[in-house]
Amino acid sequence: MPPKLSKSAKQGLIVSHLRSTRTCHTLKDLEKMLPSVASINGIQVKDYIQELTDDGKIRVEKIGSGNWYWCFGGDEKKERERQLTQLRKDVDRARASCKRAQVDLAVRKQARDKEVELGGADGEEEWKGLMKRRKALEGERKRLQAEWTAVSTTGERKGVGQMREEIDECRERAQLWTDNIYVLEEYVRKLTGGDREVMQAVQRECYGDEYVEGEGLRELIW
């Protein structure tokens, strides 16, 4: 008998399959396809989908009268790009703070050496405090550097450059689907005889939150 899959493994199979289809699905569609994909019972599909959407691994939007689910590779890469940008800022701040501390330490060390030469020891505690601060800052810098390295590569060891190329590809696919929507719009407009009110009512129903009053489908913003 094949080994029994864990819940996380089944979730991974679901996410990978949805990503490979590169399209959106209704819950009814998923209840038909996922049992064979992830070795789960049909009545479990809804629970699995709900958990994955709660965790942000699958996206869901209400379009018209029903919910549509999808998982595009670009969503994960976009989040990695955001994390990478934030980590770069954190690393820059840590480096700047470490540099200021080193300058401060050098100045104070020079003053302390001068005191020692004159036989004084008043700055001993302050010196220990500065050394402790320097050690803490260095540890923070290394931690941020490790996080940056981790986010800069995917599980397949993809670099940021390759991730950006894949994001560009996702953008092209999104634009293609948008063009297809406009073609369908023109077809519906012909069916309605160019009735503006009927056309706007159809757009509101189909586009939901993506509808812009008086304009139609909200434009893509990159």
Side-chain angles (χ1 to χ4, degrees):
M1 293 180 63
K4 187 176 181 181
L5 295 175
S6 65
K7 186 174 184 179
S8 60
K10 293 178 180 179
Q11 289 178 335
L13 288 173
I14 292 173
V15 171
S16 296
H17 180 73
L18 290 184
R19 190 175 295 157
S20 68
T21 64
R22 297 183 178 181
T23 188
C24 305
H25 306 274
T26 63
L27 181 59
K28 187 176 181 180
D29 293 336
L30 297 177
E31 288 175 339
K32 291 180 180 179
M33 73 171 67
L34 293 184
S36 59
V37 170
S39 300
I40 59 177
N41 193 292
I43 61 176
Q44 295 178 299
V45 171
K46 187 174 182 179
D47 292 334
Y48 270 83
I49 293 300
Q50 185 62 53
E51 290 177 0
L52 288 170
T53 54
D54 290 343
D55 292 340
K57 295 179 180 178
I58 291 179
R59 295 187 62 182
V60 58
E61 291 289 345
K62 185 174 181 61
I63 303 176
S65 59
N67 290 333
W68 290 76
Y69 302 85
W70 72 88
C71 179
F72 296 155
D75 293 336
E76 180 182 358
K77 294 176 179 62
K78 185 175 181 180
E79 176 61 18
R80 286 183 177 274
E81 285 278 292
R82 186 195 66 77
Q83 293 179 5
L84 181 59
T85 298
Q86 183 59 46
L87 279 172
R88 281 174 174 163
K89 293 179 181 178
D90 292 341
V91 169
D92 289 341
R93 282 197 295 267
R95 285 174 174 170
S97 181
C98 187
K99 185 176 181 179
R100 288 194 300 269
Q102 288 175 340
V103 172
D104 189 26
L105 183 62
V107 172
R108 293 175 182 268
K109 182 178 183 297
Q110 186 177 16
R112 177 179 176 274
D113 290 344
K114 187 174 181 179
E115 286 184 358
V116 171
E117 290 177 3
L118 297 175
D122 295 337
E124 187 67 27
E125 290 301 319
E126 186 176 13
W127 169 260
K128 291 180 180 179
L130 286 171
M131 291 299 292
K132 184 177 180 180
R133 179 186 174 195
R134 178 187 180 185
K135 185 177 180 181
L137 286 171
E138 183 64 22
E140 179 69 6
R141 185 188 67 80
K142 290 180 179 179
R143 183 187 67 80
L144 288 170
Q145 188 68 47
E147 289 186 17
W148 186 8
T149 301
V151 175
S152 297
T153 56
T154 64
E156 297 82 13
R157 307 304 295 175
K158 296 179 181 178
V160 174
Q162 186 175 353
M163 289 165 58
R164 287 175 176 166
E165 290 179 1
E166 293 180 357
I167 290 173
D168 290 338
E169 182 182 347
C170 289
R171 288 174 178 168
E172 292 177 3
R173 290 202 300 268
Q175 188 60 57
L176 175 62
W177 281 105
T178 301
D179 293 341
N180 291 338
I181 290 174
Y182 289 148
V183 172
L184 289 174
E185 264 194 11
E186 188 61 30
Y187 176 68
V188 173
R189 188 173 285 106
K190 290 180 179 179
L191 291 179
T192 61
D195 191 308
R196 182 179 180 85
E197 291 185 0
V198 173
M199 190 64 196
Q200 288 181 340
V202 172
Q203 289 174 323
R204 291 192 192 96
E205 175 67 18
C206 294
Y207 296 158
D209 293 338
E210 294 302 312
Y211 176 74
V212 178
E213 195 66 40
E215 297 181 14
L217 180 65
R218 188 190 306 278
E219 292 187 5
L220 291 173
I221 298 177
W222 304 106

